[in-house]
Amino acid sequence: MASNTLSEATYRIARELGVVVEGVATGGSVTTLIDTNDRAEADAYWVGASLWILRDSAEGAAAPEGEFAIVSTFTAST
């Protein structure tokens, strides 16, 4: 993740506060992130949460690496 960005600053603050749950995306698209690794939360559990993309899949510093957003929907089954 690039340093000195708003994304980096908010992520570091959240980690310091102990409110970060980390995971690994197993798929997705431009507007969707999929994480099927041991997810057991109910539908809508993450709505309103912040989502930071720390590294792109090839770790080449390409988008969406360094981006963040607020989760608008969450479906446990997908």
Side-chain angles (χ1 to χ4, degrees), residues 23-38:
V24 175
T26 56
S29 69
V30 174
T31 60
T32 304
L33 182 130
I34 299 170
D35 177 1
T36 57
N37 295 314
D38 300 319

Side-chain angles (χ1 to χ4, degrees), residues 7 15-16 18 20 22 26 28 38 44 47 53 57 66 68-69 73-74:
S7 176
R15 279 192 63 193
E16 278 295 313
V20 172
E22 296 189 5
T26 56
D38 300 319
V47 172
I53 306 297
S57 62
F68 70 107
T73 61
F74 175 77

Side-chain angles (χ1 to χ4, degrees), residues 8-21 50 52:
E8 174 72 13
T10 58
Y11 172 70
R12 287 180 184 223
I13 291 168
R15 279 192 63 193
E16 278 295 313
L17 293 172
V19 296
V20 172
V21 175
S50 298
W52 294 272

Side-chain angles (χ1 to χ4, degrees), residues 45-58:
Y45 180 84
W46 292 108
V47 172
S50 298
L51 172 68
W52 294 272
I53 306 297
L54 303 179
R55 287 176 290 285
D56 69 278
S57 62

